[in-house]
Amino acid sequence: MLYEGDFHTPAGRFAIVAARFNAFIVDPLLAGAQDAFARHGVTVERVDVIRVPGSFEVPLIAQKLADSQKYAAVICLGCIIRGETDHYDHVAGAATNGVLNAGLKTGIPVIYGVLTCETLEQAIHRAGAKAGNKGFEAAVTAIEMVNLLTKLGT
Ligand code: INI
């Protein structure tokens, strides 16, 4: 027996946690995620958006939202671009581990839509240009995971 999530309109509410840092990249990711929900029949009233200062702050809020049992899934959006120091590595590592742990601790899909890029150009490409829109992809992943968990009955 193969179990796989599909893309039909899921039940429940969704939360999007989006960093304000690098907003000129994160805002198009957020618009992409909202577009994906709308196109899959998840109406705007069922999607809450929570803004936080930076990607480092995303996991705490994502975990609290997932823990609240109010949401079928939580989508995390941010953009971390490498600078001249090792700050990038710390913020990227913390955000990545934090998002993963929020999902594992709560049992709710917590989706990783945080860009970690070497250059601004790479980020632009992933926020709606050459490499698609990772926010759109994150919302579609959330829908697939919610539908998979429903099928599995877990
Ligand atoms: N936050 C980001 O989301 N992206 C970055 O590229 C970034 N850089 O480069 O510093 C960044 N820093 C802020 C960080 O997320 C926290 O908001 C801050 O350290 C306060 O905790």
Side-chain angles (χ1 to χ4, degrees), residues 19 21-22 53-57 79-81 87 91:
F21 203 104
N22 288 330
S55 296
F56 192 84
E57 284 71 42
C79 173
I80 310 162
I81 301 173
H87 193 66
V91 176

Side-chain angles (χ1 to χ4, degrees), residues 14 16 18 24 30-31 40 43 50 70 88 99 102 111 113 123 128 134 140 145:
F14 290 82
I16 304 174
F24 63 104
L30 174 58
H40 288 81
T43 51
I50 300 93
K70 284 187 198 159
Y88 166 97
V99 170
I111 308 301
K134 298 297 171 191
V140 172
M145 287 297 288

